[in-house]
Amino acid sequence: MRSKKLPTNHSVLQWQADASDLESMGPCLAARMLFDVLLINEFEHAALSLKNDDCVWGPVHSSVGQEATAAATVAALRTTDKFLGTH
């Protein structure tokens, strides 16, 4: 992967994948990530549907369209890693 420093007052990097990144992933990991993306998407749409049917009390904060971020984050974790979702 390549990174490019963006002009800002903050330390921000832009990451860009290319075909060699996908090729190095391997078919099993790619299939698992696709499965996770589709599973998360189905869950998100089910939650929104339940909210629309007044079966969910309180707000529903959807992440439709951002499923790949979650799938890639989980795929990159090692068994010793820990993380916390703050939203």
Side-chain angles (χ1 to χ4, degrees), residues 7-24:
T8 179
N9 292 333
H10 305 283
S11 178
V12 177
L13 296 176
Q14 178 182 10
W15 292 89
Q16 181 177 348
D18 58 30
S20 66
D21 296 308
L22 183 59
E23 291 166 3
S24 69

Side-chain angles (χ1 to χ4, degrees), residues 23-67:
E23 291 166 3
S24 69
M25 183 185 319
C28 289
L29 179 57
R32 177 59 198 209
M33 288 176 65
L34 177 60
F35 174 83
D36 289 345
V37 166
L38 296 173
L39 179 65
I40 294 166
N41 182 269
E42 285 293 321
F43 174 86
E44 293 293 329
H45 281 96
L48 290 171
S49 179
L50 289 170
K51 178 64 176 174
N52 288 338
D53 293 339
D54 289 328
C55 297
V56 176
W57 181 78
V60 172
H61 181 80
S62 172
S63 65
V64 171
Q66 302 173 43
E67 300 89 336

